[in-house]
Amino acid sequence: MAINADAAGRSFGPFEAYEVTRLKIAEFARAVDARSGAHFDPAIAKAEGYDDVVAPITFAAVISQIHEFNVVTSPEVGVDFSKVVHASESFEYVRPI
């Protein structure tokens, strides 16, 4: 079964808010071997011009995948993961996470 084209443009959600915490940032930074002190130490992050610790640039994928799950598992959309190939993805950042 192909993906249901009628689902294009449909809005999913609202979803529960995702709270970004220092702990989640630090866990992710360790998982991806991001070594900047700005991911772990608020003082270092502030010295680098941030308000608090800052997430690695790829952290947005965590939030995205949580919400994408609701879409791709919807029977109405009809995604067959045995036929899915991930080609590309991009994010537009307006401020640090």
Side-chain angles (χ1 to χ4, degrees), residues 4-37:
N4 180 1
D6 292 337
R10 181 171 172 249
S11 180
F12 287 81
F15 301 116
E16 185 176 318
Y18 181 87
E19 183 179 3
V20 177
T21 66
R22 288 178 180 164
L23 177 61
K24 289 178 183 177
I25 289 172
E27 287 174 344
F28 185 82
R30 280 192 290 278
V32 299
D33 199 28
R35 299 178 184 183
S36 169

Side-chain angles (χ1 to χ4, degrees), residues 15-16 24 26-27 39 43 45 51 55 60 66-67 72-73 80 89 93 96:
F15 301 116
E16 185 176 318
K24 289 178 183 177
E27 287 174 344
H39 303 313
D51 293 332
I66 289 169
H67 298 303
V72 298
T73 59
D80 178 355
E89 184 171 29
Y93 295 90

Side-chain angles (χ1 to χ4, degrees), residues 1-8 71-72 75-81 83-84:
M1 175 181 181
I3 293 176
N4 180 1
D6 292 337
V71 176
V72 298
E76 167 185 341
V77 176
V79 174
D80 178 355
F81 270 104
K83 298 177 179 159
V84 171

